[in-house]
């Protein structure tokens, strides 16, 4: 590119979907444009205000790369800034510049500012060397964007004619030559040098640092949110921009051995950046255009191959063509995005359009510099990254505020819905609690009826049967004992239903029942024999213990009431993880198949208690033998 630099890539827009208040965005864009104009104007003001002696400038072409002194003849007048590509087409080598001016008899300190030389060189004043670049042959030191300042004082300066000799080693393809040279007061030249260094070096470095930070930030965002592909493309754009913009501050073509390879890489980076910019703009708007994306990629591939395969003789034309292709691609994306934002009110591009406008302006300026329509060596696209960074920050802030408001609204709605749900749940729970209380009361009544039937009822039946059979043989003590047994059973029911004292050993509960039932059966002529094993340490919850006692009571009561037997055998044994109960009599039996679920109250009670205990009930009966067996699993 002319002046050694390619069109700096301009379209680094923030890959985030949000809307920015229009006034703030346009104000930021206008501020950025004014700053750019100020940067462009400052050097001109400095030059205009610096009192400088008249410079007489001549140039002569050297005879070889290793010249140590200029030729004696062939000098021609030139004006600065100067590029020798038009004067000596196709010339790569050394050109000597001789600048002369007059100093008064009383010599004062003078500031000397050399804005740039392209690409490498050495400077001497009145025969005394004052500056020399590291490499004056390929690979040349890339000093094209490096301003130089010297404070000249006696004995360097002398009254009368002073001669500044500048040896420039350059390549015609990159606008080789010498930039402006300023003489003036030290204060004025120092200020102008600082301004030049700010624009040419410091702001360029800061812009590259911004690109590096942006690429890392958006790469992290993309890794965390893969579906937001615009983040990934913006991160890639930032990396490519970093590589391309490094041309502004690079002082060596390393790792290449020549500047031709360096320039081929630089423009290749610009072409790939243009493709990434196209895809980023589409993804940012949530769109895909495979044909357009494929065409852009194909053009970039063709351009890269052409740049690396083109002969050096045609390098200028090829480099110029592909640089313009890359630059116009970026401008086209900016322009299309701005038009899209203006036509679609809800487009996410509306937040970036003002910053894209600034980018388009800097792109256009740098293309004009590249094509030498504007006679300058300063490029502003790298510095426009500050404006684009402002766009990124404002867009991200707007998105964050929008998301925060959405979260706040969601939280408010969620709180309201939770409160409403809590009220409904409280009402439902209150209603359910009332129903559960009602059910509990009904259940308690049913259980109480069942317990009265199985326990107290059975004992009453047995007592009544005894009175009916031999009422004349019952003495007062026997009748009193019968009533005490009824009292004890009633007390058992009251204790079991009135409190819960925790688990109790089954053997302790079984002993009173065994004693009472044996007495009752013996009184009615039934021989009752018990076999108990393995329950001395078996502890069960009160509810299970009571159900087991009632189960045995009901089974024995059925024997007393219905069997007409003479003997009954009761077994209560623990077998591993199972409790087995068995009541066997030698009575007349009954038809088990005919009872079903609709049997008498006694059988229904047995089945109900078996279900509550989670046990298996077995009924077997024939004349002369009836057995009721229960197998209940024990908790481990």
């Amino acid at each position: 590119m002319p002046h050694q630099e390619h069109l700096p890539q301009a379209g680094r827009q923030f890959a985030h979907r949000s809307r920015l208040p229009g006034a703030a965005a346009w104000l930021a864009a206008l501020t950025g444009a004014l700053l750019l104009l100020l940067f462009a104007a400052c050097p001109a003001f400095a030059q205009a205000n610096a009192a400088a002696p008249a410079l007489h400038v001549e140039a002569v072409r050297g005879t070889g790369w290793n010249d140590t002194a200029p030729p004696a003849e062939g000098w021609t007048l030139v004006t600065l800034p100067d590029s020798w590509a038009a004067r000596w087409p196709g010339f790569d080598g050394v050109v000597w510049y001789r600048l002369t001016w007059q100093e008064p008899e009383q010599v004062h300190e003078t500031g000397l500012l050399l804005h740039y030389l392209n690409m490498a060189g050495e400077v001497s004043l009145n025969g005394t060397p004052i500056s020399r670049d590291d490499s004056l042959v390929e690979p040349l030191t890339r000093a094209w964007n490096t301003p130089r300042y010297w404070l000249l004082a006696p004995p360097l300066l002398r009254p009368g004619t002073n001669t500044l000799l500048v040896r420039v080693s350059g390549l015609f393809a990159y606008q080789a030559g010498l930039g402006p040279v300023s003489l003036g007061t030290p204060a004025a030249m120092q200020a102008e040098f600082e301004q030049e260094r700010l624009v040419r070096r410091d702001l360029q470095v800061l812009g590259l640092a911004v690109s590096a930070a942006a690429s890392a930030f958006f790469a992290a965002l993309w890794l965390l949110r893969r579906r937001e592909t615009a983040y990934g493309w913006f991160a890639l754009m930032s990396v490519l921009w970093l590589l391309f913009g490094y041309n502004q501050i690079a002082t060596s073509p390393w790792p290449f051995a020549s500047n031709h390879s360096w320039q081929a890489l630089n423009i290749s980076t610009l072409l790939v950046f243009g493709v990434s910019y196209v895809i980023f703009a589409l993804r940012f708007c949530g769109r895909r255009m495979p044909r357009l994306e494929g065409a852009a990629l194909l053009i970039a591939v063709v351009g890269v191959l052409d740049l690396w395969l083109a002969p050096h003789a045609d390098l200028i034309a090829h480099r110029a063509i592909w640089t313009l292709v890359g630059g116009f691609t970026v401008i086209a994306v900016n322009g299309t995005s701005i038009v899209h934002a203006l036509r679609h009110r809800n487009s996410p591009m509306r937040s970036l359009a003002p910053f894209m406008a600034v980018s388009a302006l800097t792109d256009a300026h740098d293309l004009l510099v590249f094509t030498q329509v504007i006679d300058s060596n300063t490029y502003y696209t790298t510095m426009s990254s500050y404006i684009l960074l402002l766009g990124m920050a404002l867009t991200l802030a707007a998105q964050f505020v929008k998301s925060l408001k959405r979260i706040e609204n969601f939280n408010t709605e969620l709180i309201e819905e939770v409160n409403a749900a809590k009220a409904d749940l409280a009402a439902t729970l209150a209603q359910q609690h009332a129903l559960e209380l009602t059910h509990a009361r009904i259940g308690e009544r049913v259980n109480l009826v069942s317990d009265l039937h199985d326990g107290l009822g059975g004992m009453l039946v047995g007592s009544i049967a005894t009175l009916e059979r031999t009422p004349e043989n019952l003495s007062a003590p026997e009748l009193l004992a019968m009533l005490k047994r009824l009292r004890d059973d009633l007390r058992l029911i009251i204790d079991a239903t009135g409190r819960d004292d925790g688990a109790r050993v089954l053997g302790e509960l079984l002993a009173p029942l065994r004693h009472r039932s044996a007495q009752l059966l013996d009184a009615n002529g039934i021989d009752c024999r018990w076999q108990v094993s393995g329950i001395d340490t078996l502890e069960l919850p009160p509810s299970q213990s009571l159900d087991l006692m009632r189960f045995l009571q009901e089974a024995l009561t059925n024997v007393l009431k219905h069997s007409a037997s003479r003997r009954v055998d009761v077994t209560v044994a623990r077998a591993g993880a199972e409790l087995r109960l068995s009541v066997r009599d030698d009575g007349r039996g009954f038809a088990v198949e005919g009872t079903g679920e609709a049997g008498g109250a006694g059988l229904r009670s047995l089945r109900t208690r078996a279900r509550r205990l989670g046990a298996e009930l077995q009924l077997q009966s024939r004349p002369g033998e009836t057995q009721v067996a229960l197998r209940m699993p024990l908790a481990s």
Side-chain angles (χ1 to χ4, degrees):
M1 226 166 173
H3 290 103
Q4 205 42 23
E5 314 18 300
H6 314 242
L7 174 80
Q9 56 234 68
R12 295 164 318 285
Q13 272 66 32
F14 180 52
H16 207 294
R17 290 179 190 172
S18 64
R19 275 184 238 165
L20 188 66
W26 286 106
L27 178 61
L30 180 61
T31 302
L34 292 176
L35 288 174
L36 291 176
L37 291 176
L38 181 61
F39 282 136
C42 281
F45 287 147
Q47 286 185 353
N49 293 330
L55 290 173
H56 180 77
V57 186
E58 299 172 288
V60 64
R61 184 167 56 174
T63 58
W65 282 99
N66 296 314
D67 285 355
T68 58
E73 299 178 351
W75 292 90
T76 181
L77 290 174
V78 298
T79 58
L80 300 181
D82 176 67
S83 172
W84 73 60
R87 185 183 309 108
W88 296 305
F91 177 69
D92 294 339
V94 175
V95 171
W96 296 86
Y97 289 89
R98 185 169 62 194
L99 293 79
T100 59
W101 72 95
Q102 299 296 317
E103 286 289 338
E105 291 294 331
Q106 186 66 33
V107 178
H108 299 284
E109 286 186 335
T110 301
L112 172 64
L113 174 62
L114 193 158
H115 292 246
Y116 64 88
L117 58 81
N118 194 0
M119 285 193 184
E122 59 180 340
V123 183
S124 62
L125 176 61
N126 295 327
T128 301
I130 59 175
S131 174
R132 188 182 191 280
D133 289 324
D134 294 335
S135 179
L136 300 181
V137 296
E138 279 282 34
L140 291 169
T141 298
R142 298 175 57 80
W144 66 271
N145 208 24
T146 303
R148 307 156 195 251
Y149 169 72
W150 299 276
L151 179 61
L152 306 179
L156 283 177
L157 284 177
R158 60 192 180 194
T161 302
N162 287 265
T163 301
L164 183 72
L165 190 64
V166 182
R167 178 189 186 278
V168 177
S169 296
L171 306 170
F172 84 100
Y174 309 118
Q175 200 174 0
L178 182 63
V181 176
S182 302
L183 284 169
T185 63
M189 292 299 97
Q190 179 70 34
E192 188 173 348
F193 168 69
E194 291 176 356
Q195 177 65 37
E196 283 285 300
R197 185 172 59 184
L198 175 68
V199 173
R200 291 181 177 274
R201 304 292 297 181
D202 298 345
L203 291 179
Q204 306 289 353
V205 171
L206 186 57
L208 296 179
V210 167
S211 295
S215 62
F217 178 74
F218 286 102
L221 282 181
W222 175 70
L223 289 174
L224 294 174
R225 296 178 61 85
R226 293 294 184 89
R227 67 177 180 272
E228 298 287 351
T229 55
Y231 291 146
W233 285 107
F234 185 82
L236 177 60
M237 286 168 49
S238 299
V239 171
L240 294 171
W241 159 244
L242 179 64
L243 296 175
F244 181 77
Y246 181 68
N247 182 66
Q248 301 286 332
I249 63 171
T251 58
S252 168
W254 183 90
F256 302 105
S258 71
N259 281 277
H260 298 308
S261 299
W262 174 273
Q263 294 297 88
L265 174 65
N266 209 32
I267 302 173
S268 298
T269 304
L270 175 62
L271 292 174
V272 179
F273 171 83
V275 176
S276 302
Y277 195 25
V278 170
I279 300 177
F280 158 73
L282 291 172
R283 298 296 183 273
F284 189 74
C285 294
R287 300 183 61 187
R288 292 179 180 270
M289 299 180 68
R291 292 185 178 179
L292 176 61
E293 296 169 17
L297 180 59
L298 179 61
I299 292 173
V301 170
V302 171
V304 171
L305 294 175
D306 182 64
L307 285 168
W308 288 95
L309 299 178
H312 287 174
D314 300 328
L315 184 61
I316 291 181
H318 289 255
R319 186 171 58 85
I321 290 173
W322 292 114
T323 300
L324 291 174
V325 169
F328 281 121
T329 298
V330 174
I331 292 177
V333 173
N334 284 331
T336 304
S337 300
I338 293 171
V339 172
H340 181 272
L342 294 175
R343 289 183 176 179
H344 301 83
R345 295 180 57 87
N346 296 325
S347 171
M349 277 295 178
R350 291 182 69 87
S351 62
L352 295 181
F355 307 102
M356 284 185 160
V358 175
S359 176
L361 290 175
T362 56
D363 290 348
H365 169 271
D366 290 352
L367 277 182
L368 293 175
V369 171
F370 171 72
T371 56
Q372 296 183 271
V373 174
I374 296 179
D375 189 9
S376 174
N377 180 256
T378 305
Y379 293 83
Y380 293 107
T381 307
T382 306
M383 291 177 286
S384 70
S385 62
Y386 305 119
I387 307 303
L388 297 172
L389 177 62
L390 177 62
M392 298 173 192
L394 292 176
T395 304
L396 181 59
Q399 177 68 16
F400 177 76
V401 171
K402 183 178 179 181
S403 300
L404 188 60
K405 289 182 178 178
R406 187 183 301 115
I407 292 173
E408 291 174 348
N409 293 335
F410 174 77
N411 288 340
T412 301
E413 295 175 358
L414 183 61
I415 290 173
E416 293 176 354
E417 292 179 0
V418 168
N419 290 335
K422 287 170 64 177
D424 293 342
L425 181 60
T428 302
L429 289 176
Q431 183 179 5
Q432 183 178 359
H433 181 64
L435 290 174
E436 289 177 351
L437 286 177
T438 303
H439 292 164
R441 289 169 184 160
I442 295 173
E444 290 174 356
R445 292 172 183 173
V446 171
N447 291 336
L448 182 59
V449 169
S450 177
D451 288 336
L452 289 172
H453 171 271
D454 295 345
L456 188 61
M459 296 185 69
L460 283 173
V461 169
S463 300
I464 292 172
T466 301
L467 289 172
E468 288 179 346
R469 186 176 293 109
T470 57
E472 65 283 353
N473 295 332
L474 285 176
S475 62
E478 292 175 340
L479 184 59
L480 180 60
M482 187 182 300
L483 292 176
K484 286 182 178 181
R485 287 194 299 271
L486 293 174
R487 179 201 63 190
D488 292 340
D489 192 83
L490 181 60
R491 181 174 297 163
L492 175 63
I493 295 173
I494 294 174
D495 291 341
T497 57
R499 67 174 186 269
D500 187 356
D501 294 331
R504 297 183 62 183
V505 177
L506 182 60
E508 296 178 0
L509 296 174
L510 187 61
L513 175 65
R514 177 179 177 180
H515 176 71
R516 292 194 301 269
S517 60
Q519 286 184 337
L520 182 61
L521 291 170
D522 287 342
N524 287 274
I526 301 175
D527 182 17
C528 182
R529 300 182 182 184
W530 288 76
Q531 183 178 355
V532 180
S533 63
I535 64 170
D536 294 337
T537 59
L538 178 60
E539 295 184 351
L540 295 175
S543 59
Q544 287 189 344
S545 297
L546 184 59
D547 280 332
L548 286 172
M549 296 302 101
R550 293 305 185 219
F551 183 91
L552 286 171
Q553 283 183 333
E554 181 62 28
L556 293 173
T557 299
N558 288 339
V559 171
L560 179 64
K561 291 169 58 177
H562 307 296
S563 69
S565 64
R566 306 305 300 170
R567 176 177 171 173
V568 60
D569 294 302
V570 181
T571 302
V572 180
R574 178 177 184 177
E578 190 175 68
L579 180 65
R580 297 179 180 178
L581 278 71
S582 173
V583 178
R584 184 192 305 269
D585 67 75
D586 58 355
R588 59 173 171 260
F590 63 92
V592 176
E593 294 76 8
T595 59
E597 293 295 330
L603 291 178
R604 286 199 305 271
S605 176
L606 291 177
R607 292 190 177 97
T608 300
R609 293 191 184 279
R611 283 195 298 268
R612 278 164 39 181
L613 290 169
E616 178 186 355
L617 176 64
Q618 296 177 347
L619 296 176
Q620 296 178 357
S621 182
R622 67 174 184 269
E625 182 181 3
T626 297
Q627 181 180 12
V628 177
L630 184 74
R631 300 177 64 180
M632 183 184 80
L634 297 174
S636 57

